[in-house]
Amino acid sequence: MAATTLHLRSECKPMEHRSALTPRTTEQLLEAGYKVNVERSPERIFEDSEFEAVGATLIPEGSWPSAPSDHLIIGLKELPEEDFPLNHTHIQFAHCYKGQSNWEEVLSRFPSGSGTLYDLEFLNDENGRRVAAFGYHAGYAGAAIAVMVWAWQLDPATKGKPFPSIDYYRSEADLVAKVKRSLEEGMKHTTSIPRVMVMGALGRCGSGALGLCKAIGVPDFSMVRWDLAETSQRPGPYEEIVESDIFVNCIYLSKPIPPFINRETLSSPKRKLSVVCDVSCDTTNPHNPIPIYDICTTFEKPTVPVKVDRDPPLSVISIDHLPSLLPREASQDFSDALLPSLLKLHNRKQERVWQQAEDLFREKVAGLSAKWRQGQAFLGGAAVPTGRP
């Protein structure tokens, strides 16, 4: 039997330096008998030479569309917005299973070309927990930026000015040192340390946000931890959020819920809230529990202002790839966790984790509207292209 070939594509999203595979996990795949082709990348945190040194084959950047159809294309973030049919099996975060904006356009490309999507967000173990996630580093990075923005808005010299662009950090230690300095600068302009409220505090993401706060010296009494036990007692909105200086939202939104805050709660005379970091970033989800903003921000423009009727000013951070702030550590942790499942890809039609992912893909494709299904027919569970949607 021919070896299964994985094709690691170069990420194209601005300031996306992470990688689904690392030199370490690539070496382990090669030792297990897989072939690994790695697109050259000027942005990836790992040098091309690091992959070549462990035995991977380097190939041109952006070459995945012309790869043999039996090669498995692996990446992280969504593909560029194109309309040509996809004829490969793709392993990635596609952001098209929860009713996001343009989800049908994104999803329909796969069945249109007889391709398959294994969405990394929905690869679950026997207990329904994701086999690999960037949650911890997303929360860590989100809280870091939130503290920096909090300090920026307190400084008379920068208050009212847009927060500047952010570059990635080569190590966690470098990031912590920077945020500590920001916290110290902010404390020169206020009498109290920031009160940081973390929603979803018991999850991976929330643990990361709290981990950052601890690393920079925020005392335990200034960290407010909320999870299901607190929100199940009464529906939102919650005054406790606007009474905090920083709110970090780390929940996984799986169903409609009442909003955590809204524009009415922002009018509270008790409002201290000046920074919201929506790590969950369900911006285009119709059930977004933070309906005070409607755009994703970027590392180039990290914040969006929210109109309020009095000080303090309020900014929202809604960057949808926060772990890119720490690309090396985030990639290593994620790829290590994903590796056991990747090692089962040669037998993916029988392995539960991959079969469940394919079943979910078929289910979501079946939910496409007539407009997007007119270019495909289904025979025995396989998509057979009959034209372009």
Side-chain angles (χ1 to χ4, degrees), residues 152-218:
W152 175 270
Q153 294 183 162
L154 283 174
D155 189 339
T158 53
K159 182 178 179 180
K161 297 180 181 179
F163 188 75
S165 62
I166 307 171
D167 202 354
Y168 72 96
Y169 289 79
R170 298 204 67 87
S171 74
E172 191 173 293
D174 289 344
L175 174 62
V176 168
K178 168 61 177 175
V179 182
K180 277 185 175 180
R181 290 195 298 271
S182 292
L183 179 63
E184 292 167 359
E185 288 299 314
M187 291 299 298
K188 295 177 181 178
H189 307 291
T190 185
T191 58
S192 60
I193 200 157
R195 184 175 190 254
V196 182
M197 183 170 181
V198 177
M199 187 70 78
L202 297 181
R204 290 170 168 143
C205 182
S207 296
L210 294 169
L212 180 282
C213 291
K214 183 177 180 179
I216 64 171
V218 175

Side-chain angles (χ1 to χ4, degrees), residues 124-126 131 348 350-357:
N124 296 324
D125 64 17
E126 296 85 351
V131 299
R348 59 190 178 278
Q350 282 73 48
E351 291 290 343
R352 182 201 53 77
V353 65
W354 297 109
Q355 190 55 58
Q356 284 187 354

Side-chain angles (χ1 to χ4, degrees), residues 327-388:
R328 182 172 289 273
E329 290 96 335
S331 297
Q332 288 171 336
D333 286 357
F334 181 85
S335 195
D336 285 349
L338 185 61
L339 180 64
S341 298
L342 294 177
L343 290 170
K344 299 175 181 178
L345 275 169
H346 68 285
N347 194 35
R348 59 190 178 278
K349 294 299 182 180
Q350 282 73 48
E351 291 290 343
R352 182 201 53 77
V353 65
W354 297 109
Q355 190 55 58
Q356 284 187 354
E358 185 165 344
D359 289 346
L360 180 61
F361 166 68
R362 302 294 177 196
E363 175 189 321
K364 296 298 181 180
V365 167
L368 288 167
S369 63
K371 172 185 176 182
W372 296 103
R373 293 193 67 190
Q374 66 183 4
Q376 63 200 39
F378 289 88
L379 297 174
V384 181
T386 59
R388 291 291 297 277

Side-chain angles (χ1 to χ4, degrees), residues 140-322:
Y140 201 97
I145 299 173
V147 172
M148 289 190 281
V149 173
W150 170 82
W152 175 270
Q153 294 183 162
L154 283 174
D155 189 339
T158 53
K159 182 178 179 180
K161 297 180 181 179
F163 188 75
S165 62
I166 307 171
D167 202 354
Y168 72 96
Y169 289 79
R170 298 204 67 87
S171 74
E172 191 173 293
D174 289 344
L175 174 62
V176 168
K178 168 61 177 175
V179 182
K180 277 185 175 180
R181 290 195 298 271
S182 292
L183 179 63
E184 292 167 359
E185 288 299 314
M187 291 299 298
K188 295 177 181 178
H189 307 291
T190 185
T191 58
S192 60
I193 200 157
R195 184 175 190 254
V196 182
M197 183 170 181
V198 177
M199 187 70 78
L202 297 181
R204 290 170 168 143
C205 182
S207 296
L210 294 169
L212 180 282
C213 291
K214 183 177 180 179
I216 64 171
V218 175
D220 190 73
F221 65 79
S222 285
M223 290 185 261
V224 182
R225 302 165 173 85
W226 274 38
D227 212 278
L228 286 174
E230 289 74 21
T231 57
S232 62
Q233 293 178 9
R234 68 181 195 275
Y238 301 107
E239 285 288 326
E240 290 87 346
I241 294 176
V242 298
E243 293 171 8
S244 300
D245 297 282
I246 297 171
F247 174 53
V248 185
N249 178 40
C250 295
I251 71 159
Y252 180 79
L253 185 64
S254 59
K255 61 183 179 180
I257 59 174
F260 293 150
I261 54 175
N262 56 25
R263 293 192 178 275
E264 288 70 32
T265 56
L266 296 180
S267 299
S268 169
K270 297 180 180 180
R271 181 178 69 85
K272 295 176 59 183
L273 187 67
S274 63
V275 182
V276 172
C277 182
D278 190 4
V279 180
S280 303
C281 211
D282 288 300
T283 312
T284 63
N285 191 310
H287 307 298
N288 179 12
I290 307 178
I292 61 172
Y293 76 103
D294 58 6
I295 64 168
C296 282
T297 61
T298 64
F299 284 107
E300 184 178 356
K301 295 181 179 179
T303 63
V304 58
V306 177
K307 186 176 181 181
V308 289
D309 53 14
R310 62 173 181 80
D311 277 346
L314 177 60
S315 296
V316 172
I317 301 158
S318 57
I319 300 170
D320 66 1
H321 56 136
L322 281 165

